[in-house]
């Protein structure tokens, strides 16, 4: 899993004071999702650091409504794209934390009305709270998209040769009878 530290985005419209750095968090989320299907899922910062990996996975996130997460799987030996899987989700407007700090921000806004010189400090704090609320809605969508892509990867015929062999369970094994 390539966890490019340069992968980031500016917050939509009104949150311009903050930039979200996606890695290592996004790569670690995908790493956890893929561990069920692939052996030794490691996060590296660049393709060159992957060493003798059998398969490279590179995520790309498009911020839109709905957001789109795409993971491209590449065979490092041939540089051939093995599969490209995507999932789309909207932010979760009802996730825990989405409504945090609203009363605090209202009080801070009222404080600026009463004492205008506090505007710069208060605006920064309100922007920070707004970014926190955005993250609260954003994180569950990312986790769901990672899970969706992991499920698709487990069923993709092009990726099955790279997947961890399934162990036959004891209950599914043939039973010898006398």
């Amino acid at each position: 899993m390539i966890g490019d530290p340069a992968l980031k985005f500016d917050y939509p419209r009104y949150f311009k004071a903050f930039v979200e750095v996606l890695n290592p968090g996004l790569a670690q989320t995908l790493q956890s999702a893929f561990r069920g299907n692939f052996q030794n899922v490691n996060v590296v910062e660049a393709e060159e650091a992957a060493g003798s990996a059998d398969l490279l996975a590179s995520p790309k996130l498009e911020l839109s409504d709905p957001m789109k997460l795409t993971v491209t799987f590449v065979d490092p030996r041939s540089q051939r794209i093995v599969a490209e899987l995507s999932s789309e989700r909207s932010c979760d407007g009802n996730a825990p934390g989405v409504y945090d700090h609203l009363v605090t921000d209202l009080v801070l806004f009222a404080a600026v009305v009463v004492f205008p010189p506090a505007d710069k400090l208060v605006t920064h704090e309100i922007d920070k709270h707004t970014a926190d609320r955005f993250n609260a809605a954003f994180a569950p969508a990312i986790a769901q998209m990672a899970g969706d892509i992991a499920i698709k990867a487990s069923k993709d015929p092009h990726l099955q040769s790279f997947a961890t062999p399934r162990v036959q369970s004891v209950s599914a094994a043939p039973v010898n009878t006398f």
Side-chain angles (χ1 to χ4, degrees):
M1 176 63 52
I2 298 175
D4 181 2
L7 187 59
K8 58 186 171 188
F9 67 86
D10 294 327
Y11 280 94
R13 286 182 252 190
Y14 307 108
F15 320 124
K16 292 294 183 191
F18 299 93
V19 173
E20 182 69 28
V21 177
L22 291 171
N23 283 313
L26 175 61
Q28 290 169 343
T29 299
L30 288 165
Q31 177 187 32
S32 295
F34 292 138
R35 277 195 174 137
N37 297 322
F38 300 99
Q39 266 183 342
N40 303 325
V41 180
N42 297 314
V43 174
V44 295
E45 288 188 5
E47 189 174 325
E48 298 79 35
S52 62
D54 295 328
L55 187 66
L56 295 175
S58 179
K60 177 183 171 194
L61 180 65
E62 295 174 27
L63 279 182
S64 54
D65 191 19
M67 295 182 295
K68 183 177 182 180
L69 177 62
T70 302
V71 178
T72 304
F73 296 88
V74 176
D75 179 343
R77 289 166 200 67
S78 66
Q79 295 300 309
R80 180 182 62 88
I81 294 177
V82 177
E84 189 168 85
L85 305 174
S86 297
S87 179
E88 294 183 0
R89 296 275 181 184
S90 292
C91 287
D92 184 355
N94 294 315
V98 170
Y99 299 106
D100 288 358
H101 307 295
L102 287 176
V103 174
T104 303
D105 291 347
L106 184 60
V107 170
L108 290 171
F109 180 74
V112 169
V113 171
V114 173
F115 187 66
D119 181 47
K120 193 161 188 106
L121 175 67
V122 169
T123 300
H124 180 76
E125 194 63 26
I126 290 172
D127 286 346
K128 182 181 173 301
H129 290 163
T130 304
D132 288 344
R133 287 191 293 272
F134 176 81
N135 281 341
F138 175 78
I142 293 294
Q144 289 173 343
M145 288 188 292
D148 291 347
I149 291 172
I151 290 169
K152 289 177 183 179
S154 72
K155 297 175 183 177
D156 188 285
H158 299 103
L159 293 172
Q160 287 182 352
S161 64
F162 296 97
T164 303
R166 298 279 179 215
V167 176
Q168 189 176 24
S169 70
V170 174
S171 61
V175 178
N176 292 331
T177 57
F178 292 98

